């Protein structure tokens, strides 16, 4: 979690998919950022590296797959 990203207010999301020299997915980098009330900017980083499925995912991305991320909340879906 983060002490400074307030998900009830707008925030920015950046995602990067760097490749190895061989053209395979190396990692997934995600950064959330949000301006605070004093003008300071909060940034939260998450990295996924050394994922065992990177080769398969690389083929899917190269074939045109679009990564989609959804953020939502429901009291009736807490079992997920």
């Amino acid at each position: 979690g983060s002490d400074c990203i307030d998900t009830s207010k707008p925030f920015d999301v950046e995602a990067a998919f760097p490749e190895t020299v061989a053209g395979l997915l190396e990692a997934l980098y995600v950064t959330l950022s949000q301006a605070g009330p004093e003008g300071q900017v909060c940034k939260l980083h998450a990295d996924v590296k050394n994922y065992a499925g990177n080769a398969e995912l690389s083929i899917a991305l190269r074939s045109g797959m679009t990564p989609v991320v959804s953020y939502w909340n429901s009291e009736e879906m807490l079992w997920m």
Side-chain angles (χ1 to χ4, degrees), residues 6 8 12-13 15 17 19 22 24 26 28 36-37 39-40 43 52-53 61 70 79:
D6 181 351
S8 69
D12 294 316
V13 179
F17 303 88
E19 295 181 337
L24 297 176
E26 181 177 1
L28 165 61
Q40 76 280 15
K43 288 194 176 192
L61 289 168
S70 177
W79 58 270

Side-chain angles (χ1 to χ4, degrees), residues 1-13 32-37 40-44 71:
S2 171
D3 293 331
C4 62
I5 299 287
D6 181 351
T7 57
S8 69
K9 297 180 181 173
F11 59 94
D12 294 316
V13 179
L32 306 180
S33 59
Q34 184 178 60
Q40 76 280 15
V41 175
C42 170
K43 288 194 176 192
L44 176 64
Y71 177 82

Side-chain angles (χ1 to χ4, degrees), residues 74-79:
S74 171
E75 291 295 322
E76 296 174 11
M77 301 298 279
L78 295 177
W79 58 270

Side-chain angles (χ1 to χ4, degrees), residues 44-76:
L44 176 64
H45 302 280
D47 301 341
V48 178
K49 300 177 185 176
N50 302 318
Y51 173 60
N54 275 352
E56 184 179 7
L57 188 53
S58 297
I59 293 168
L61 289 168
R62 197 172 298 114
S63 297
M65 181 186 81
T66 301
V68 176
V69 177
S70 177
Y71 177 82
W72 53 275
N73 183 22
S74 171
E75 291 295 322
E76 296 174 11

